[in-house]
Amino acid sequence: MDKNNKKAYVRTYGCKQNFADSEKINGFLTEFGFIITKTPEEADVIIFNTCAVRENAEQRVFGNVGALKKLKQEKPDLKIILCGCMTQQKHIAERFKSKFPFLDAITGTNVLSSLPEIISQTEKNTTIRINQTDKAYSEFKEEIKPLREGNFSANVPIMNGCNNFCTYCVVPLVRGREVSRTPENIVNEVKELIEEGRKDILLLGQNVNSYGAGTDTDFLSLLKQLDNLDGEFIIDYMTSHPKDCKKELIDFIAESRHVSHHLHLPVQSGSNRILKLMNRGYTREKYIELAEYAKKKIPDISLTTDILAGFPGETYEDFKQTLDLVEKVNFDSAYTFIYSKREGTKAADMPDPVSYEEKSEWFKELLDVQGRISERSYERFIGKTMRVLCTGEGRSNQNLLTGKSRQGIIVDFEGDNKLLGEFVNVKITKALPWALIGEMI
C-alpha cells in the first residue's frame, strides 16, 4: 500500500493498558507514514483495539464492527484490523471471521510487529494471527515512541501480563505471564516525559506490586528511583493487588515527594469464602488491616476499589459481608460490576444458581451503600489547601479551571487559562461526590 497521505483510525476499548497500547500503535503508524484521523470515515486503515474483561465491552465491539460493513463496501481498499485482548481468544477470533468476512486481519495482543505486513497484504481472505510468538516483541515495543494524547499526562506501562489467575479473570489467558520492562528503560522514559513538560505520570501494569520479574529490582525500588527525579510532577500507578501491597510500600509513599496519595486497591468481595473461590490470596481481615494502615500512615489518602457482585456460588449472606466491608473501609469511590462469565476461566465452570435479576438487586443495594458513603466522603477536605495540577477548563462552568490533586481527586477553581499545566495551591470550599471546589491561593 502506498502510504503517502494515507490516514489511519484507531479505536480503543477497555483499560488504561489498552489505551497505552493504542498510543504505541498510533506512534508506529505515524512512523510508518500514516496520518492519524479522528473518524473512521476518512481512514484508509481502521484498527479496533479490543477488551475482553466484560461481556458488554465485547458486545459493543461486535456492534461497531458490523457498522463498518457499509464503509468497506464504499471503500474496497479500506483495511480493517482487529487486535487486543478480545481477539486473543481463538473462539472469539473465529466468530469475528465467520460473522464479518470483510475484515482484513484479526490479531492478538502482540499486534505491533505484524502491522507492516498486515497493512501491505493483498489477499482478500481474513487472516487470524492470535498465536504469534515474536521473541523480539518487547524490544520492538521499546523502540516505538507512543503518540500520546493531551499535554500534561502520560501512561507508562512498566509490565505486561499477570500470574495471579483469579478464577473470574481472563487477563492471564489473553495477556500472558508477567513480563517486566527494565528499570533503566522506565526511568529514562519518565525523565524524557518530565523534560517534555508532562507532570502526571501513570505507571501501568495488571499488578504493579509484582513488578520486577526478570530484572534486578522490585516495585518499591522503582518508585524510589522515580521519586528521586528532579521536577514537579505526580507519579501515580495502577493496579495494586492487595496480596502484594506491602506496608513498606505505604511507608515510602507517606514520605515520598512525588508519589500519588491515591491507592486503588481492588477488594472484589468482603466474604472470605468467595475470596478463596476467586483465588485472591488474602482475607477480608487482612484487607481491612491494610486499608486502616494506609489511612493511618497517609491521613489524606484517597482509597478506591473494585467490587464484583454475584460471583458464582455467592449467597446473599456472602454479599452482606461485602456491604459490611464497604461500610468499615469507607472507600471514596468504587468501580462496581455484576459478574460476567468469561470462557476459559475456572469460574465459568462453577455452579451459578442465583439469577441475574437477583444479582441486579444486590448490585443496586451495593450502589446505594457506596453512594451514601461517597456523598459525604470528600467533605473531610473542606478548609484544607491542596496542591493541584491544572489540566483544563471546568466542565460545569466556563469560568472554572479543573485540575487533579495528589490524591487523584478532581478540583475545580477559578483561574486563568495561562495556568494550564502548572501546579497551584487551592483552598477547598465545597465537596461534591465526584469532585472538590476551591479558591486558588
Side-chain angles (χ1 to χ4, degrees):
M1 175 184 289
D2 179 11
K3 294 169 286 296
N4 292 329
N5 299 318
K6 292 292 184 179
K7 295 181 179 181
Y9 170 79
V10 179
R11 179 163 182 173
T12 312
Y13 301 80
C15 67
K16 290 280 189 180
Q17 187 82 36
N18 268 20
F19 278 88
D21 286 347
S22 289
E23 289 178 341
K24 285 282 189 179
I25 293 171
N26 281 331
F28 178 75
L29 289 169
T30 301
E31 289 189 16
F32 201 48
F34 281 86
I35 298 169
I36 305 302
T37 182
K38 296 293 185 182
T39 65
E41 288 76 16
E42 54 184 322
D44 302 286
V45 173
I46 295 174
I47 299 175
F48 278 12
N49 187 7
T50 64
C51 172
V53 174
R54 310 279 173 213
E55 185 178 8
N56 59 353
E58 291 189 353
Q59 295 305 319
R60 286 201 308 272
V61 175
F62 273 100
N64 291 330
V65 171
L68 295 177
K69 181 178 180 180
K70 183 179 179 182
L71 190 60
K72 181 75 168 181
Q73 291 172 339
E74 295 170 355
K75 300 170 65 175
D77 292 333
L78 171 69
K79 297 282 185 179
I80 304 177
I81 302 165
L82 301 189
C83 66
C85 295
M86 185 175 172
T87 50
Q88 182 67 26
Q89 303 165 94
K90 187 174 181 180
H91 68 284
I92 297 289
E94 293 288 355
R95 183 180 169 195
F96 269 117
K97 182 176 181 178
S98 172
K99 191 173 179 66
F100 307 113
F102 58 84
L103 292 173
D104 293 279
I106 301 170
T107 76
T109 50
N110 291 356
V111 64
L112 281 182
S113 54
S114 298
L115 277 178
E117 182 183 354
I118 292 171
I119 291 173
S120 300
Q121 71 185 17
T122 57
E123 61 264 27
K124 297 300 181 182
N125 295 327
T126 305
T127 59
I128 297 179
R129 307 182 184 198
I130 61 172
N131 293 317
Q132 174 181 318
T133 54
D134 183 354
K135 291 183 179 180
Y137 174 67
S138 296
E139 291 80 2
F140 180 85
K141 211 170 181 184
E142 291 289 353
E143 296 171 3
I144 302 302
K145 187 175 178 62
L147 185 63
R148 303 182 192 275
E149 295 184 359
N151 298 315
F152 314 120
S153 63
N155 298 320
V156 179
I158 64 172
M159 60 181 296
N160 187 56
C162 184
N163 293 345
N164 286 309
F165 287 91
C166 300
T167 56
Y168 56 84
C169 184
V170 75
V171 168
L173 306 179
V174 296
R175 285 276 182 182
R177 304 299 182 270
E178 292 175 3
V179 178
S180 296
R181 295 176 63 195
T182 67
E184 294 79 13
N185 283 337
I186 297 168
V187 172
N188 288 336
E189 182 175 351
V190 173
K191 277 183 181 177
E192 291 177 2
L193 291 168
I194 295 168
E195 290 169 1
E196 290 174 9
R198 307 274 176 170
K199 298 184 178 182
D200 181 16
I201 312 297
L202 177 61
L203 308 180
L204 293 174
Q206 275 71 38
N207 176 14
V208 292
N209 298 118
S210 64
Y211 166 82
T215 75
D216 58 355
T217 189
D218 58 18
F219 185 57
L220 178 56
S221 299
L222 175 65
L223 279 186
K224 289 180 177 179
Q225 292 182 58
L226 296 175
D227 195 57
N228 282 331
L229 296 177
D230 293 328
E232 193 170 17
F233 58 92
I234 300 172
I235 293 288
D236 205 347
Y237 58 89
M238 66 183 311
T239 297
S240 293
H241 196 299
K243 77 176 179 62
D244 297 317
C245 185
K246 307 301 182 186
K247 291 180 179 178
E248 293 81 2
L249 174 65
I250 293 170
D251 292 341
F252 168 70
I253 292 172
E255 301 171 355
S256 68
R257 298 187 301 158
H258 301 292
V259 181
S260 172
H261 285 186
H262 169 220
L263 178 59
H264 184 70
L265 200 63
V267 66
Q268 304 301 357
S269 173
S271 162
N272 283 334
R273 188 179 76 85
I274 297 302
L275 287 171
K276 187 174 182 179
L277 287 174
M278 288 178 168
N279 192 36
R280 290 294 286 172
Y282 55 86
T283 63
R284 65 175 277 127
E285 292 79 16
K286 286 292 184 182
Y287 185 95
I288 293 172
E289 178 189 355
L290 185 62
E292 289 176 346
Y293 185 82
K295 289 186 175 186
K296 180 179 178 181
K297 294 293 291 188
I298 313 172
D300 66 343
I301 196 169
S302 173
L303 187 61
T304 60
T305 196
D306 294 345
I307 299 174
L308 192 62
F311 183 81
E314 183 175 4
T315 66
Y316 186 63
E317 290 303 313
D318 292 314
F319 178 70
K320 285 199 297 185
Q321 291 181 53
T322 298
L323 297 181
D324 179 70
L325 182 142
V326 168
E327 302 244 21
K328 278 186 167 65
V329 175
N330 274 293
F331 297 105
D332 288 301
S333 65
Y335 297 91
T336 53
F337 309 92
I338 299 177
Y339 169 75
S340 180
K341 184 177 180 179
R342 304 285 79 196
E343 187 171 328
T345 63
K346 286 188 176 182
D349 297 324
M350 294 180 181
D352 192 8
V354 179
S355 69
Y356 185 82
E357 289 73 22
E358 188 172 355
K359 292 179 182 181
S360 298
E361 291 301 317
W362 297 358
F363 186 69
K364 291 176 184 176
E365 194 172 351
L366 173 61
L367 292 179
D368 288 342
V369 170
Q370 181 57 51
R372 289 197 301 271
I373 295 170
S374 298
E375 191 75 31
R376 304 181 65 87
S377 179
Y378 288 161
E379 289 182 359
R380 69 188 189 276
F381 293 106
I382 293 176
K384 296 184 178 180
T385 298
M386 306 179 80
R387 194 71 170 154
V388 176
L389 173 62
C390 185
T391 57
E393 296 181 353
R395 290 172 292 181
S396 58
N397 188 325
Q398 291 183 345
N399 296 321
L400 293 181
L401 296 178
T402 192
K404 176 183 175 182
S405 74
R406 190 175 180 181
Q407 297 77 18
I409 301 170
I410 296 170
V411 181
D412 286 353
F413 57 96
E414 287 190 14
D416 192 286
N417 281 354
K418 292 179 182 178
L419 294 172
L420 293 178
E422 300 296 328
F423 282 91
V424 296
N425 292 322
V426 178
K427 185 174 182 179
I428 305 304
T429 58
K430 183 179 180 181
L432 303 172
W434 62 89
L436 295 168
I437 307 296
E439 298 173 349
M440 186 175 64
I441 299 176

